[in-house]
Amino acid sequence: MKRSLSGIKPTSGLPHLGNYLGMIKPALELQKSHETFYFIADYHALTTIRDPKKLKADTFQMAAAFLAFGFDPAKGALFRQSDIPEITELSWILSCLASYGDLTRAHAYKAAKDEGREGEMNLGTFSYPVLMSADILLYDSDVVPVGQDQLQHIEMTRQLAQRFNHYYGEVLKKPEALVQKDMATVPGIDGVNKMSKSYGNFIEPLASEKTLKTQVMAIVTDSLGLDDKKNPDESAIVKFYKFFASPAEVADMESKFRAGGYGYGHAKIALLDKIKEHFDPMRKRFDALMKNPDEVESVLKEGKQKAQAQATLVLDKVRKACGLS
Ligand code: ADP
Ligand code: TRP
């Protein structure tokens, strides 16, 4: 059976619709056909988080969210990245093959440079793509479900695997990125940027009903009034509605937009209802898991064991291949 692997940083707190539609949902669908290894990238989060309690709590919360969204532990492993410290060893070995030039082409470095901050960038952020390559290669992954923004990292992973195999023989498997065509980049509620924690333009489907309502009502619209005819093709509300409503319901909303007499407030309430309908069972499960940490911890413990067994196999081959003891 082929293996699917992906990771998500816990820094975002609760996952947003971009995370869910772009990465989590497709990753969970792969449980039908693949062995799935998914982890919470707490080592990566250390590049920005300095608060140990927050790192621990956010990591736990993201694991609970994965379970609430439907991760089935019988079909794979859900684990903390840092539960497998072997990853740091493979990351070192790969870093000896990664060039400075490769890393200066990475998004995070470019963004820091554009803002004149590259001197303050820590080494962990600079070498972020190498640790990510190790994450993927340590588990002999076949496919990596991610959003569009991660494609560059997967390309770098393939290059590093190829370079390793060139010097040391065919040891590392080159993975394929899997990007959902329609969900590659979910827009933010500002209607300008992609949905992201860094832009503060997100909707968190597992948040409390009150927060969820505030986020949906904050979707940015133009200033057309209730009676005005509106173009549904330009509306962020309709875009989000399409993710959760049936084609008939979408057609109905579109025709109300065109007819006029239907305000953005009405459309937002219809969207909110759809989101609630879709996520209510998951939110209830999430709230229950947050109150029952033992259940989450036992899944993470089992995940750690499965991941460790695979990591040891690959790392042994890597060490032998490159002449380490
Ligand atoms: P953020 O931009 O909020 O910090 P992350 O970088 O932690 O999100 O992303 C975690 C996963 O979710 C990645 O696989 C990423 O590609 C995916 N993802 C994040 N935002 C979006 C989006 N707006 N559309 C599609 N996928 C997304
Ligand atoms: N870089 C990814 C993000 O920012 C998280 C991540 C870490 C990851 N390691 C990975 C994703 C390995 C896929 C595979 O969202």
Side-chain angles (χ1 to χ4, degrees), residues 6-12 16-24 62 128 145-151 183-188 193-199 201-202:
S6 196
I8 186 162
K9 277 177 297 175
T11 23
S12 11
H16 55 67
L17 279 183
N19 301 142
Y20 178 72
L21 296 168
M23 183 279 210
I24 300 174
M62 190 56 90
Y128 184 109
V146 279
Q148 180 93 21
D149 58 348
Q150 296 298 315
L151 275 183
M183 309 292 171
T185 307
V186 175
N193 296 300
K194 71 159 203 156
M195 186 174 288
S196 171
K197 280 283 150 148
S198 10
Y199 298 129
N201 61 356
F202 49 83

Side-chain angles (χ1 to χ4, degrees), residues 63-136:
F66 246 84
L67 281 173
F69 284 136
F71 179 86
D72 178 356
K75 294 182 180 156
L78 181 66
F79 56 103
R80 292 183 184 90
Q81 185 184 28
S82 65
D83 271 338
I84 316 292
E86 283 87 347
I87 204 73
T88 58
E89 184 173 351
L90 183 57
S91 183
W92 172 254
I93 294 171
L94 294 174
S95 74
C96 297
L97 295 171
S99 73
Y100 177 79
D102 291 338
L103 291 171
T104 56
R105 281 186 282 279
H107 296 312
Y109 178 80
K110 274 192 171 164
K113 188 160 194 281
D114 289 347
E115 291 164 23
R117 291 187 290 106
E118 80 270 28
E120 297 150 34
M121 182 182 223
N122 61 56
L123 193 52
T125 307
F126 184 64
S127 63
Y128 184 109
V130 180
L131 179 59
M132 181 159 159
S133 300
D135 285 332
I136 298 170

Side-chain angles (χ1 to χ4, degrees), residues 10-61:
T11 23
S12 11
L14 284 174
H16 55 67
L17 279 183
N19 301 142
Y20 178 72
L21 296 168
M23 183 279 210
I24 300 174
K25 187 163 177 260
L28 294 178
E29 265 155 24
L30 282 165
Q31 289 213 286
K32 292 185 194 135
S33 51
H34 288 65
E35 185 191 11
T36 47
F37 274 30
Y38 299 140
F39 62 89
I40 319 301
D42 51 356
Y43 275 140
H44 274 113
L46 271 185
T47 58
T48 52
I49 294 200
R50 303 284 180 266
D51 176 344
K53 279 203 190 106
K54 180 169 163 48
L55 180 59
K56 230 184 176 126
D58 284 357
T59 303
F60 176 86
Q61 181 174 267

Side-chain angles (χ1 to χ4, degrees), residues 247-319:
E249 288 166 328
V250 173
D252 183 49
M253 183 180 275
E254 286 176 337
S255 74
K256 285 179 175 153
F257 263 66
R258 290 198 185 94
Y262 183 72
Y264 290 127
H266 296 130
K268 286 178 182 176
I269 295 292
L271 169 64
L272 179 64
D273 286 346
K274 272 287 148 206
I275 295 179
K276 282 205 293 207
E277 190 184 309
H278 188 88
F279 288 102
D280 257 4
M282 303 180 204
R283 179 141 35 89
K284 287 199 179 101
R285 172 109 172 94
F286 176 69
D287 291 343
L289 285 166
M290 289 302 286
K291 285 188 199 124
N292 182 12
D294 290 353
E295 192 178 339
V296 181
E297 285 301 339
S298 94
V299 170
L300 289 172
K301 193 170 161 202
E302 197 191 316
K304 172 185 170 166
Q305 283 159 359
K306 284 189 199 167
Q308 186 99 57
Q310 185 57 41
T312 311
L313 281 179
V314 176
L315 193 60
D316 276 355
K317 278 198 265 177
V318 165
R319 290 179 60 104

Side-chain angles (χ1 to χ4, degrees), residues 227-242:
D227 293 330
D228 293 318
K229 295 180 178 171
K230 304 172 181 72
N231 181 356
D233 301 333
E234 283 172 10
S235 165
I237 308 172
V238 177
K239 267 187 206 141
F240 286 121
Y241 196 63
K242 281 184 181 163

